[in-house]
Amino acid sequence: MTRTATMTALTAVGLLYAALSLAAVAPQGQVEGEVMQVFSTMIVIKNEQGHATILQLTPRTQLGAQFKPGDKVVAYVTPYGVSSVQLKANTAQIP
């Protein structure tokens, strides 16, 4: 990778983390919304009011699908973290 490509990649990652820092961390209870971004340890969802929420995933988090941007999900958050993330019942999953 060239120096320019490396710097561009690092800038993109920095901007992404800056944007995510403005999002709220998931509160306890049920969180519903549309998937905006999917990472190995987190999912960012946007609720109907347009507010982003970061769902921190752990090895114990049960995932109901392989999520992609645009999926409608419901997540269950406990004091110990996100227990599960599922597709909403009225969302048809197309392979």
Side-chain angles (χ1 to χ4, degrees), residues 20-38:
L20 291 177
S21 69
L22 298 175
V25 175
Q28 271 187 275
Q30 185 172 314
V31 178
E32 295 184 31
E34 180 179 331
V35 175
M36 294 174 59
Q37 292 284 327
V38 179

Side-chain angles (χ1 to χ4, degrees), residues 5-74:
T6 302
M7 293 304 292
T8 301
L10 289 174
T11 301
V13 169
L15 291 173
L16 176 64
Y17 279 114
L20 291 177
S21 69
L22 298 175
V25 175
Q28 271 187 275
Q30 185 172 314
V31 178
E32 295 184 31
E34 180 179 331
V35 175
M36 294 174 59
Q37 292 284 327
V38 179
F39 302 96
S40 60
T41 59
M42 73 176 98
I43 295 177
V44 182
I45 64 170
K46 178 176 62 172
N47 66 14
E48 290 180 354
Q49 292 78 29
H51 295 89
T53 301
I54 299 171
L55 301 176
Q56 294 287 343
L57 306 178
T58 69
R60 299 186 73 184
T61 303
Q62 297 177 6
L63 300 177
Q66 290 185 340
F67 303 107
K68 62 188 179 314
D71 285 343
K72 305 284 191 224
V73 297
V74 58

